Amino acid sequence: MGNDMKTLRARWDSDTGRAILQQIHEFFFGLQYPGHGKSLESILAEIRKLPGSSDVPGGKDFRGIHLSGGVHELDFSGADFSHAVLAFNFVNCDLSKCVFDHADARGSVMLRDLRGASFSGAKLKGCFFQEADLRDCRFDRASLGHANFQGADLRGSRFTKAQCQKTKFLAADM
């Protein structure tokens, strides 16, 4: 299956994709508050029905998805959000080794563990990463204007050709 933006986003516009997306939104709606004790397993079983989902290890294939809202305390480690459109808050989630390459996540909140995540070419204007663990991340060619990395651990992270105008790095460990 192709990994281009158009192909990945089109999967979610099919009848199957729309039905799965509806289930995802309903599932996430109940996880807006801490202490829910849920996992992604039931949703991943549905996502595995999408064409190309076997291309992503563990079936955590959110490539090209449009998500809004937010969740608390879910393990997304290793998930692929390439080319996704995210008006979404990941609060105290495990986002380690996730891929957000070329995603549009402007204004999103991403907190807790993002070690080893990739944000190459992502649009992250106004994102909130305050005090997050962002060690060994890649922000190459990312648009980071007005993002907040205050107090974040950024050791080993790369920002090659990233746009960082008015980005807050106060007390960040770089």
Side-chain angles (χ1 to χ4, degrees), residues 12 20-28 43 47 65 67:
W12 298 100
I20 294 169
L21 188 57
Q22 178 65 32
Q23 290 176 7
I24 290 170
H25 280 287
E26 289 171 6
F27 179 73
F28 285 167
I43 289 303
I47 289 174
I65 196 170
L67 283 178

Side-chain angles (χ1 to χ4, degrees), residues 124-126 142-149 161-169:
L124 303 169
K125 183 178 180 179
S143 174
L144 296 164
H146 298 277
N148 184 343
F149 290 96
K161 297 185 181 180
Q163 299 170 5
C164 298
Q165 297 84 355
K166 298 187 179 182
T167 300
K168 292 182 184 177
F169 291 102

Side-chain angles (χ1 to χ4, degrees), residues 79-114:
D80 193 336
F81 291 93
S82 297
H83 300 287
V85 177
L86 304 167
F88 201 75
N89 297 325
F90 297 92
V91 179
N92 296 329
C93 291
D94 184 347
L95 298 168
S96 60
K97 298 183 180 172
C98 282
V99 178
F100 293 92
D101 294 352
H102 305 286
D104 184 342
R106 290 177 273 194
S108 293
V109 173
M110 296 187 190
L111 297 178
R112 203 179 96 190
D113 187 356
L114 292 104

